Amino acid sequence: MQSQDVATRRPDHPSGPVVDVEQAEAALVEHYPRLVRLAYLVLPPSLGRNRRVLTAHALTQRALPRGRTTSDAAVITPRRPDDARNADPGYTFVRQRVLRTALDAGLPLRRLAWPKRAQLPPVLPHVWGLRLFPRSGGADELALDQRLSALSGAARAAYVLRGLERLPDDGVRGILAAAGVDDPEDALDEADEIEASYALLLSPEFDPCSLQARPTDLMRRRQHMKAALVAAVAALVCGALLGLPGDGWGPDGAAAPPYARNPAQQAALDPAQLTKVAPAAWKDSARTDFSVWPARGSLTGDKALLRRALAVWARPGGSVQVTATPGTAAGAPPGPAQLLYAGEVDQARVVLLYDGLRIVRYAEPKTGTSGAALDFARVDGATGSEANAVVVGRADSNVRYLTAPWVTATSMRDLLKPDAEPTPLRRSADGVTDPLAGSGRSDAATGVCTSWNALQLGDNSGTRLMADLGELVPAHLTSGKPGAMREATGRAALSAWSQTGCSLAAVRGHGVRTVNAWEYARQTLPETNGTATWLCTRADTWRGAGSRVLAQVQAPGKPAAAVAAQSEDSPACGTRDPQVLAGVLWKSKTGAWYLLAAATPDVTDLTTTGDVESTTPGNTVALPTEQGAQATLTAHMPNGREITALH
């Protein structure tokens, strides 16, 4: 069970609340823009804006604990009643780690002393050939930045905790002391010298998540590239000479030498050997997968382009940006592939290929071939809804799809607006859609998710929703009890997805195949506070492993469901085991605290142990308790099987 509040504890308290990696990750993902902004403001301006941006992101991403730990390291400060962030032990824990490493990054390097990791340039994230910096603000923001640069690191931290986190001075003292500041009181006094409005801290001038890009020194980069090319050629020649075979058996046994030609590999590199399905073949086929997609696009006859795409697939150079979904092999084709598309998309020439297991996208600029990209996605066993669309291009946070030949209608639907009609999305004669606004848009000031656009597709069998999660193949969205899922286009399904749509951000880039949202319980809240809705969202992957499960609760009057518990590689809320149990601490309108818990309707009773002891018939429970209470939840099936809480 995940608590929504804990009591205030100082760092020397012997028994702080336990913080799981999942709980800390949920807090980091939800408040990522705020945490990065905090790190950026505390870091010394002497680093330069580009390095401050990258370091702020690196420190925030490294704030997750390696395992289950206590929040004693993070001072959970006194807070205002309307400040929900400080009620989350996961958030206060991550914030403490971000602040500590940001202060470490500002320490001067000492001779004969090993530097701390935060003092070194970040390895990841890293950007080649570009300098990144936040958008410029006005005169007030510039003046504030200059005043902050004159303060010590501890004073900057004190000012930011006051203004950005809205903490009282007692809370700021505790956090600074836990971060290793020798004299927190002196830092507060130094911060008092700045008289600027705290509202300026929310300006785009200090937002490292909304960035501008400019090139680096182009002449120096060209010189470095020439030197690297000469060195690479020399290394290649030396390696070839050293690798020439001699007499007798080598380490590869009876295999031919590395430079020998393999007939199957040679055929895979020949554009003339590509499979091109006839335009109407899908109409007479019993299959509804990528194998019956026709070859489309204006450049299907451009043998030079196809030859480059196949060659880069087999041997991507160092300048090629290669990406692959988790669990997807990025190797050469085993034989001649199938051509799905070759044409111009925005400012690029794009080739889509299929080898029976993977979709491969090759893209190069319209002028020249520098900056080529190669993307891999696993699609083995994809049929019907899972073979309806492929991302053919991304530009300016927008996405274009190539749709299946049997798709008859395309539109855009905002998951957070279930009652709104979908917006029609035009397609070209080749099946390429107009740009679709990227999913997961957030408010720049608060970081709160405000919309999540999904692709709605229609054909003769009905309509379905697909969500872009940053990969070649969008994830198929469904709704309903595991084993009886249905398309997420009905009124009840859209209502469920409007509450949990923004949780898709937690599985972006994980190779997700399908995501199912299920409203598994409704609970009447005490003191006539209305009815809470319990949701279970399960994301399954193409590779099988790495599935993620979220249990969420939607309280009346709240804009989105709150995460109660989450798990990875768990069978819960799935076809194999549709059971789920989760609980939270909840505060009523009168200020009273309750333990809320809910399980799937099949259970006979719920049992709580720990700070709250009870056994209650049914699948929901609401028990009076105190702020910061800890309890263990179990439920029982009619056959006696015990179900534990999702974790």
Side-chain angles (χ1 to χ4, degrees), residues 385 409 456-459 461-465 476 487-490:
S385 300
Q456 181 166 302
L457 301 174
D459 56 33
S461 64
T463 59
R464 52 198 51 84
L465 285 178
H476 181 207
E487 297 297 340
T489 52

Side-chain angles (χ1 to χ4, degrees), residues 385-418:
S385 300
E386 297 166 350
N388 269 335
V390 175
V391 172
V392 73
R394 296 182 187 273
D396 300 326
S397 300
N398 297 324
V399 185
R400 290 183 187 267
Y401 294 93
L402 176 67
T403 57
W406 51 82
V407 170
T408 58
T410 55
S411 55
M412 180 195 74
R413 178 181 285 280
D414 188 346
L415 294 180
L416 303 193
K417 299 176 181 178

